[in-house]
């Protein structure tokens, strides 16, 4: 007797083996039908277990993919919102006349040919209509805004009038009857955050067309009005208008910086700080964030002008001291003269400004700027720096969320270091920055000695564990020995080769770090499946622009130095010569193939 169990479509049929067939035949002859039934039942239950597990794993994977797709969609939605907001503000600020700009803005609320009306009011009483759309007769150009509406605006940025409240509002009744026909809702939006001076209002029957629910449309309009109101307050006079338009253009330039793609929040912050220092007239800019573990400030990114020269380390140390003192304040601090020397004895710079970064009422970071000479710190400059602190902190948080997802695609699966593609892109960018700023950039190429022998003797799993251990030691080394603003990058170059980019680090610093790391690897015991062993590595160091100004040339210089270290006995670090070796590594390796 042969019993065959067929599973669901797509699954492999389960058949009794010849041995079980014989057992079944014997059981039937001997009358052991119950035993045979039990065997079949056990086999069927095992089948159910396998199918259930497969379905559960499939469901979990589908849910994870759905969650990832949702997060990506959210990030894309936020990016689209920022791009549209930036586009609208650019159009507004592109106009030399404030009235023309306001007219364009109001057309975003009431398009040409659309029904309803919108008016921009300046502070009263009575409130003055600065610009309007859809109102046929503005009379004296003044409107009375109900006290009840103003009282509500003290707590909220937007008040929505509907039904009886709308019909009885003096503000609505002041609009000509012909323009009120068909209006069922009126939005009154203030141009300043609640709690601040109320000096401008937008009254409109509709909100701009915006993808998303009504709540997002309202928030979009509030952000736009807040930016517009900010601009109008700064342009109260012709002189102030010209000055503040310059500031606004600088803000837009800074906002444009974060529209680019960045590998990390640190890189984004560094680019932002470089641009901020340029437009505000400072020689150094940094951002420090609060460390949760000890409530101390740690430098996330720092930009230093080439004019600082060899005093860069002194500027950075003084900056660190200044930001620690400023971590407990809640407002912008201006340091110069005695106020500066009271915090930093013998400061290398003459003037500094620190601005706290707030989130939900807490100070979580500090933006700091310093320059060589004391200059007049005007209101527009203060406003630009304060805006930069708020905008930068908010952008860092958003960039960090996006970077967590993108970072996974940039990592080598085995070591957790950056992959080859990330390394190539990073080196090109770091060298461009090095040439532009006049600083140095070091490259260290490591290779594990006799790695093939490790695989042959202990197995490939041991080789993998060796790579993971060395990569972990390298990451820890960079974290302990370099400042956060140095932006080092460790990557797996291929096989058993690792590479490190050290922006801002010269030859002596790179050699010192490489030698310390070589000794650490030599002294570290690696354990894999109960087997313990040690290994060594060799390294080659090259520096831009000393050895080369191109990525290809710098890699070749480090590669030749690594080859020299291998040929000289391994387990050592060698610096590249300024004049490149005439013998290339490829030809030399061909001669010594199999040496390991």
């Amino acid at each position: 007797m042969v019993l065959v169990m067929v599973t669901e479509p797509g699954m492999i049929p389960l058949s009794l083996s010849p041995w079980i067939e014989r057992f079944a035949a014997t059981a039937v002859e001997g009358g052991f039908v119950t035993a045979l039934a039990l065997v079949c039942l056990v086999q069927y239950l095992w089948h159910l277990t396998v199918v259930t597990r497969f379905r559960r794993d499939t469901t979990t994977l589908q849910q994870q993919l759905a969650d990832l797709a949702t997060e990506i969609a959210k990030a894309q939605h936020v990016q689209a919102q920022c791009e549209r907001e930036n586009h609208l503000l650019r159009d507004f600020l592109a106009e030399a006349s404030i009235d023309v700009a306001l007219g364009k803005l109001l057309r975003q609320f009431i398009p040409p040919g659309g029904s309803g009306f919108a008016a921009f009011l300046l502070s009263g009483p009575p409130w003055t209509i600065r610009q309007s759309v859809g109102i046929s007769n503005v009379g004296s150009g003044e409107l009375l805004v109900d006290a009840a509406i103003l009282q509500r605006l003290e707590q909220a940025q937007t008040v929505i009038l509907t039904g009886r409240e709308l019909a009885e509002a003096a503000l609505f009744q002041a609009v000509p009857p012909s323009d009120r026909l068909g209006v069922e809702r009126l939005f009154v939006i203030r141009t300043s955050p609640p709690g601040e001076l109320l000096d401008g209002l937008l009254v409109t029957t509709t909100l701009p067309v915006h993808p998303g629910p009504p709540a997002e449309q309202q928030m979009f309009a509030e952000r736009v009005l807040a930016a517009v109101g900010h601009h109008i307050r700064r342009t109260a006079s012709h002189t102030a208008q010209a000055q503040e338009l310059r500031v606004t253009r600088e803000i837009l330039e800074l906002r444009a910086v974060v529209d680019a793609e960045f590998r990390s929040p640190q890189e984004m912050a560094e680019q932002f700080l470089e641009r901020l220092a340029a437009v505000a007239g400072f020689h150094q800019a940094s951002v420090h964030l609060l460390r949760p573990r000890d409530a101390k400030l740690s430098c996330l990114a720092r930009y230093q002008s080439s004019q600082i020269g060899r005093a860069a380390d002194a500027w950075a140390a003084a900056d660190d001291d200044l930001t620690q003192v400023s971590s407990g304040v809640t407002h912008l601090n201006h340091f110069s003269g005695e106020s500066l020397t009271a915090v930093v004895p013998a400061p290398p710079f003459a003037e500094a400004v620190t601005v706290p970064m707030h989130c939900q009422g807490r100070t979580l970071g500090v933006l700091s700027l310093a320059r060589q000479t004391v200059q007049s710190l005007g209101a527009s400059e203060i406003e630009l720096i304060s805006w930069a602190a708020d905008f930068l902190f908010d952008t860092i948080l958003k960039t960090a969320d996006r970077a967590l997802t993108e970072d996974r695609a940039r990592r080598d699966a085995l070591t957790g270091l950056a992959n080859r593609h990330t390394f190539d892109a990073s080196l090109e960018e770091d060298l461009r920055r090095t040439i532009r700023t006049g600083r140095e950039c070091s490259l260290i190429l490591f290779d594990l000695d006799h790695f093939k022998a490790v695989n042959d003797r202990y197995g490939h799993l041991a080789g993998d564990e060796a790579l993971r251990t060395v990569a972990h030691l390298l990451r820890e080394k960079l974290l302990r020995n370099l400042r956060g603003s140095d932006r080092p990058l460790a990557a797996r170059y291929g096989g058993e080769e690792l590479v490190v980019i050290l922006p801002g680090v010269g030859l002596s610093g790179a050699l010192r770090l490489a030698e310390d790391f070589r000794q650490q690897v030599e002294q570290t015991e690696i354990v894999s499946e109960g087997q313990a062993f040690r290994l060594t590595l060799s390294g080659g160091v090259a520096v831009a622009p000393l050895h080369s100004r191109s990525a290809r040339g710098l890699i070749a210089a480090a590669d030749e130095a690594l080859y020299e270290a291998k040929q000289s006995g391994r387990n050592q670090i060698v610096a590249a010569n300024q004049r490149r070796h005439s013998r290339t590594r490829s030809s030399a390796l061909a001669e010594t193939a199999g040496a390991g």
Side-chain angles (χ1 to χ4, degrees):
M1 173 182 177
V2 177
L3 178 62
V4 177
M5 297 177 62
V6 180
T7 64
E8 296 177 1
M11 301 295 292
I12 300 176
L14 298 177
S15 303
L16 295 177
S17 66
W19 182 86
I20 295 181
E21 291 176 9
R22 292 194 296 273
F23 173 81
T26 303
V28 172
E29 292 173 3
F32 301 107
V33 177
T34 303
L36 181 59
L38 181 60
V39 170
C40 295
L41 178 61
V42 170
Q43 193 170 13
Y44 180 69
L45 290 176
W46 173 250
H47 162 70
L48 289 180
T49 300
V50 171
V51 171
T52 302
R53 184 181 301 166
F54 175 80
R55 289 176 176 173
R56 183 177 65 248
D57 292 343
T58 301
T59 301
T60 301
L61 180 59
Q62 290 174 342
Q63 183 60 45
Q64 291 175 347
L65 290 174
D67 293 342
L68 180 59
T70 301
E71 292 301 319
I72 293 175
K74 288 181 180 178
Q76 292 174 339
H77 181 65
V78 171
Q79 183 179 4
Q81 286 182 325
C82 291
E83 290 176 351
R84 188 171 187 275
E85 181 181 339
N86 286 344
H87 179 71
L88 193 153
L89 291 176
R90 288 190 189 104
D91 286 346
F92 177 85
L93 297 174
E95 295 295 335
S97 168
I98 189 65
D99 292 309
V100 174
L102 283 174
K104 282 191 173 183
L105 174 67
L106 295 182
R107 284 300 181 188
Q108 296 293 326
F109 290 81
I110 309 295
S115 60
F117 62 87
F120 194 91
L121 312 180
L122 295 181
S123 60
W127 288 77
T128 305
I129 300 178
R130 180 64 182 266
Q131 193 64 262
S132 67
V133 171
I135 300 179
S136 56
N137 180 17
V138 296
S140 63
E142 297 179 350
L143 291 177
L144 177 63
V145 181
D146 306 67
I149 296 176
L150 296 176
Q151 186 175 4
R152 292 172 59 184
L153 286 172
E154 292 178 0
Q155 306 297 325
Q157 191 162 354
T158 301
V159 171
I160 304 175
L161 305 178
T162 58
R164 183 176 179 180
E165 184 182 29
L166 173 62
E168 296 179 352
L171 176 61
F172 185 62
Q173 293 176 357
V175 178
S178 59
D179 299 328
R180 302 200 306 258
L181 293 177
V183 174
E184 299 178 352
R185 182 176 301 177
L186 190 66
F187 299 87
V188 183
I189 308 173
R190 59 182 295 158
T191 59
S192 59
E196 295 186 8
L197 177 65
L198 179 59
D199 54 2
L201 291 176
L202 175 68
V203 179
T204 178
T205 56
T206 58
L207 296 177
V209 177
H210 185 274
E216 287 192 9
Q217 293 180 341
Q218 181 176 326
M219 292 175 61
F220 174 79
E222 289 174 352
R223 290 196 302 269
V224 170
L225 260 294
V228 170
H230 218 55
H231 174 73
I232 292 177
R233 285 192 296 274
R234 292 196 305 260
T235 55
S237 66
H238 179 74
T239 303
Q241 179 180 4
Q243 185 180 31
E244 295 306 328
L245 280 174
R246 176 184 60 82
V247 173
T248 305
R249 285 194 297 268
E250 292 166 352
I251 287 177
L252 290 176
E253 291 179 12
L254 290 170
R255 290 179 70 116
V257 170
V258 303
D259 290 338
E261 294 294 329
F262 296 100
R263 294 172 297 178
S264 65
Q266 185 183 40
E267 183 181 7
M268 182 279 299
E270 186 176 275
Q271 293 286 331
F272 187 93
L273 292 173
E274 180 177 355
R275 187 60 193 156
L276 175 62
V279 300
F282 287 84
H283 300 102
Q284 177 176 269
S286 68
V287 58
H288 291 65
L289 298 182
L290 201 66
R291 294 192 301 252
R293 65 177 183 271
D294 57 8
K296 296 291 185 181
L297 287 172
S298 176
C299 183
L300 172 70
R302 177 181 286 119
Y303 163 76
Q304 292 179 318
S305 168
S306 58
Q307 297 181 33
I308 296 177
R310 296 182 178 180
D313 290 340
W315 278 61
D319 181 51
D320 291 339
D321 293 341
L322 198 64
T323 53
Q324 295 295 341
V325 173
S326 304
S327 62
V329 300
T330 58
H331 54 277
L332 182 145
N333 276 289
H334 179 211
F335 299 92
S336 63
E338 294 182 358
S339 63
L340 179 59
T341 56
V343 179
V344 182
F349 41 77
E351 183 179 31
V353 177
T354 62
V355 187
M357 297 176 170
H358 297 121
C359 181
Q360 297 180 349
R362 296 178 57 204
T363 299
L364 298 181
V366 173
L367 171 66
S368 174
L369 298 104
R371 53 190 169 195
Q372 294 174 331
T373 58
V374 178
Q375 302 178 22
S376 174
L377 192 65
S380 60
E381 210 172 15
I382 292 175
E383 191 165 8
L384 173 65
I385 296 171
S386 300
W387 172 88
D390 293 337
F391 181 74
L392 179 59
F393 184 69
D394 185 54
T395 306
I396 287 173
L397 296 180
K398 293 178 181 178
T399 306
D401 290 339
R402 185 172 65 250
L404 288 176
T405 301
E406 295 176 348
D407 185 62
R408 298 173 184 172
R410 298 191 177 109
R411 296 288 171 183
D412 173 65
L414 176 63
T415 62
L417 301 178
N419 57 30
R420 177 64 183 272
H421 176 75
T422 303
F423 161 76
D424 291 338
S426 300
L427 182 59
E428 292 284 355
E429 177 61 28
D430 287 330
L431 287 181
R432 282 195 293 269
R433 187 180 297 109
T434 295
I435 301 303
R436 186 172 66 251
T437 60
R439 303 187 68 187
E440 294 177 300
C441 179
S442 294
L443 182 72
I444 309 176
L445 189 60
F446 293 111
D447 185 87
L448 300 185
D449 297 329
H450 302 295
F451 188 71
K452 183 177 182 299
V454 173
N455 284 328
D456 293 342
R457 181 174 181 180
Y458 300 104
H460 288 280
L461 291 179
D464 290 346
E465 183 59 33
L467 279 171
R468 278 192 293 266
T469 300
V470 173
H472 174 73
L473 292 175
L474 183 57
R475 282 195 302 270
E476 293 296 314
K477 188 70 176 176
L478 296 178
L479 287 174
R480 289 195 307 269
N481 290 268
L482 294 175
R483 302 166 299 182
S485 58
D486 288 333
R487 290 179 55 257
L489 177 77
R492 185 180 181 186
Y493 191 67
E496 65 271 21
E497 288 186 320
L498 306 178
V499 64
V500 179
I501 305 174
L502 299 174
V505 178
L507 181 60
S508 61
L511 285 171
R512 182 169 57 252
L513 185 144
E515 175 61 23
D516 289 346
F517 179 60
R518 183 199 65 77
Q519 295 179 16
Q520 186 178 11
V521 171
E522 183 180 24
Q523 298 165 7
T524 299
E525 185 177 68
I526 299 172
V527 180
S528 175
E529 297 185 329
Q531 301 180 98
F533 59 93
R534 296 176 187 270
L535 49 74
T536 62
L537 57 75
S538 302
V541 180
V543 180
L546 177 63
H547 298 115
S548 178
R549 298 170 69 91
S550 70
R552 184 174 182 178
L554 194 64
I555 293 173
D559 207 22
E560 292 174 9
L562 173 61
Y563 170 74
E564 184 177 338
K566 288 281 190 180
Q567 290 296 100
S568 301
R570 296 180 173 82
N571 193 23
Q572 58 185 289
I573 306 299
V574 173
N577 293 328
Q578 284 185 250
R579 187 171 61 185
R580 294 182 56 186
H581 297 185
S582 60
R583 186 185 191 189
T584 64
R585 186 186 179 201
S586 59
S587 61
L589 286 180
E591 297 174 13
T592 59

